[in-house]
Every structure is written in structure tokens, then in C-alpha cells.
Amino acid sequence: MSEQKIIEIEVLRYLPESDQAPRPEVYKVPFTDDMSVLQGVQYIKDNFDGSLTFRWSCRMAICGSCGMMINGIPKLSCEAFIRDYYPKRISIEALGNFPIEKDLVVDLSGFIEKLEAIQPYIIPKEPRTVEEGEYIQTPAQFADYIQFTSCINCTLCYAACPQVGLNPDFIGPGAMALMHRYNMDSRDGGQARRMEIAASEEGVYNCSAVGYCSEVCPKKVDPGNAVNINKINAGKDYFLRFLSPKGGAK
Amino acid sequence: MSKRRPYVRSMDGWWKKNPFYVEYMIHEGTALFIVAYSIVLTFGLVRLAQGEVAWNGWLEAMKSPLSIIFHLVLLVAIAYHAFTWFKLFPLTTPPVVINGKKLESGLIVRSGWTATIVATVVSFVIVWGIAA
Ligand code: SF4
Ligand code: FES
């Protein structure tokens, strides 16, 4: 049998009851080549310190709960493998641009509020009765928004966005991508209502096109593109509102 | 009583923490060189309006070694800005759908560059023609 390999994992710990500020702690973790960084963190919890706190569920990059800064880069920890970092040390930290609740867990309440604010559900153009039957959507209409449905709310894009860090009220890439997903749906008629948010002070114009959000997105949603398309839409809405009274921005 | 005490990390020096941000800052910074060049050109236009003597003085000033070095620096900075700007092109443009297929981002970048090169060559030819 080959020798047991050991990786050093440095975790930024924060226990709100006893720590004034977060502090790094290093653990020596034995690992095998099939182990993810998440499994490394689980090893620490099971063998060294049961108080280490982090979130995870699916272990297969779909629930979106295990995001962490791994060597400063926002990643799903179940999708990052220890072998790719070995023999260097791995540093992990709670997702950037969010307040740290405890250890690797961040306070997501602001994000949840933003998600609610963009009204992420179909707002029908006009009420439709059961007798009228289902909506018909062509493959082309479906293709308009399918990419933006892949978002798993992992918030890696928020951790990647310096504008979110500088202005925590900015609606941010992920929620904007979801807003765009509904706006682009042929069954939806809520664009004017959502425009109030898109064009507001918390809206699209906080984005300075850094583009790192789209780079780190594990689902290829390209949230940065959704934000930038809505800059154009918000601009059009602003100018066209003088011609047509239907624009939503106030 | 709640034991919650969410810790907010500082944003100080954020742009140094990731090579991606460094590139972004250089990209934004090089925009100032474009401003500088437009000031040089505007100044030339003012001198032109002031008559032949002023205009020739400006032309002479443009030929000085210092001015040539300055323009070389501008060229490098503006080329970098253009390069990184085109890299962002697919991020900032709405999807282009042709025959039901979305144009891939590499092609968007390349068509941007093609348009730039064509425009540059055309302006060169026109200016050359006028000068000759
Ligand atoms: S857009 Fe991508 S990075 Fe952002 S929350 Fe959705 S899946 Fe995660
Ligand atoms: S544990 Fe579900 S995405 Fe990583």
C-alpha cells in the first residue's frame, strides 16, 4: 500500500461567542485522491474539532450549499478535489462579501431578500382560465431563457463580485440572472414590475462589468450577461417611457 | 438573547487579492490614457482653429522625441484597453442568435476585432489619400 498522503488545510475559524475576529487554524488531514475539499472539511469535523461549522447537502454540485473561498477563489467545495492542490496548503474561508455567521457559514438573509424582491415566478400577462388550456411555448422561446434556469443559488457569483462587497444592497448577479429568466419567458408579463428593481439604485448600474461572476459560476449561467443585458433594457425603458406611459421605472 | 454576531470582512485592498481583479483595475486605469489622447487631439483642433502658425506649431510639437515616446506609451496602454475590452464583449452584449443557434463568445470577440482592423485600415487609406 502506498504511503498515506497528508494535506494541510487552513480554515478561517470564527466562533461568535468567543472570537473577536476570525482567525486561521491549520489541520493536517490524511486524504485519498478521490476526496473533495468538502470531505477534507468533514474529516476535520469528525476527527479534530466537532465545533467546525459549514453547510453542505448533495455532495454533487447541485444543491448549491457548500460554497467556500478555496485559496481565495469562490468554489463549490464538493466539486474541488484535494489532489489538485496537494502538496501545497489549502486555505479555506467563508464565501466572500457576506457576513460570517460562524466558521464557514455566511449570513444569506440579504440574498434571500433580494431573491424575493425580483419576484422569481411567472406573472401572467392576463389571467388565464383552466378552459383555455396550457401555455404553448416553442423550442425557440424556451431557448431564450433555459440557460438562466440553471442557477442553483450557490451565491459564488456574489462572492466573486467586488461591487457586492462595496455595496451590499446591490441586487447582485445571481438574483438578476433569475430576474432575467422570468422576463425572458414567453408566458411572463412581469417585466415592467421587475424593472422597478432593475433600474433602481440597488439595480443593474452597480455593475461595472468586472465579469468574474460569470467566470466562477459552476452552472454556466453567465449571470454577468443577464445584468448587462438589463442595463440596456433599463436604458430603453427610461427613454421609451417618455413615449409610452407603460414603462415601470419610477 | 441572541448570540449572533455576524462578522463583516473589510474590502480594503480587494483588487490586489485576485489576478482577475488586477486585470480589471488595469483595464479601467488604461481608460485614462484614452482620455489623455482625446485631450491631445482636441488641443490640436483648437490650434487648427487658431490659424496656420498655431497649427504648424502644434505639428512641430507632435514631432518632438518626448511626444513620440508619449504616443508610444499611449499606444501600448490603449491597445491593452482594447484587448481587455473585447474580452468583455460577450459579457456585455445580448446573445446573437443566427438560425436558432447562439453565437459562441469567441466568434463575438473575433468579429469585434475584425471590425476594428477594417475600420483602422479604411481610415488609414482615407487619411493617406487626403495627405497625398
Ligand atoms: S448564477 Fe451561477 S454562481 Fe450565481 S448563484 Fe446561480 S449558479 Fe451560483
Ligand atoms: S454539497 Fe451540494 S453543491 Fe456541494
Side-chain angles (χ1 to χ4, degrees), chain A residues 14 16 19 22 93-101 107 147 160 162 165 208-212 214 224-225 228-229 232, chain B residues 3-9 11-12 14-15 17-21 24 27-28 88-95 97 100 102:
Chain A
Y14 175 60
D19 293 337
E93 179 176 335
L95 275 183
N97 302 333
F98 288 100
I100 306 180
E101 193 69 53
D107 179 6
Q147 167 194 340
S208 58
V210 180
Y212 198 38
S214 293
N225 189 232
N228 280 282
I229 294 172
I232 303 173
Chain B
K3 296 273 168 61
R4 288 188 60 194
R5 214 154 48 79
Y7 184 88
V8 176
R9 285 160 283 179
M11 283 299 283
D12 288 354
W14 62 268
W15 59 272
K17 289 182 189 151
N18 190 310
F20 205 97
Y21 298 154
Y24 163 76
H27 168 78
E28 296 290 298
L88 283 172
F89 212 24
L91 180 86
T92 50
T93 45
V97 182
K102 234 177 92 173

Side-chain angles (χ1 to χ4, degrees), chain A residues 64 76 111 148 150-158 173-175 177-178 213-214 216-224:
Chain A
L76 297 176
F111 171 67
F148 302 103
S150 308
C151 175
I152 56 174
N153 294 345
C154 66
T155 66
L156 297 194
C157 50
Y158 285 74
L178 213 56
C213 56
S214 293
V216 303
C217 174
K219 295 294 159 194
K220 305 265 177 296
V221 172
D222 202 352

Side-chain angles (χ1 to χ4, degrees), chain A residues 13-173:
Chain A
R13 301 290 313 265
Y14 175 60
L15 305 171
E17 291 176 33
S18 51
D19 293 337
Q20 273 318 304
R23 58 188 163 80
E25 202 156 319
V26 181
Y27 304 92
K28 288 191 162 62
V29 179
F31 75 98
T32 47
D33 278 348
D34 57 352
M35 272 172 73
S36 64
V37 173
L38 175 65
Q39 282 173 294
V41 179
Q42 287 170 323
Y43 188 94
I44 298 172
K45 187 173 177 78
D46 293 344
N47 295 279
F48 303 137
D49 187 347
S51 73
L52 180 63
T53 307
F54 52 97
R55 292 177 65 225
W56 59 279
S57 175
C58 70
R59 295 162 291 130
M60 48 195 264
I62 197 63
C63 73
S65 48
C66 69
M68 301 171 188
M69 304 302 279
I70 304 180
N71 288 354
I73 295 172
K75 274 187 191 295
L76 297 176
S77 58
C78 67
E79 211 187 17
F81 286 88
I82 295 178
R83 58 168 189 261
D84 295 331
Y85 297 90
Y86 183 78
K88 291 212 187 86
R89 177 187 280 193
I90 302 178
S91 303
I92 55 181
E93 179 176 335
L95 275 183
N97 302 333
F98 288 100
I100 306 180
E101 193 69 53
K102 183 181 181 188
D103 292 335
L104 299 167
V105 174
V106 294
D107 179 6
L108 283 176
S109 49
F111 171 67
I112 303 295
E113 279 167 26
K114 293 169 190 176
L115 215 48
E116 280 178 18
I118 56 104
Q119 307 173 73
Y121 34 81
I122 288 177
I123 302 170
K125 291 192 184 81
E126 55 230 25
R128 197 176 171 89
T129 61
V130 177
E131 289 70 44
E132 286 173 277
E134 68 279 346
Y135 285 97
I136 307 290
Q137 194 164 63
T138 66
Q141 287 171 325
F142 180 62
D144 282 343
Y145 69 87
I146 178 65
Q147 167 194 340
F148 302 103
T149 66
S150 308
C151 175
I152 56 174
N153 294 345
C154 66
T155 66
L156 297 194
C157 50
Y158 285 74
C161 175
Q163 300 299 352
V164 167
L166 295 166
N167 175 15
D169 290 333
F170 172 31
I171 296 286

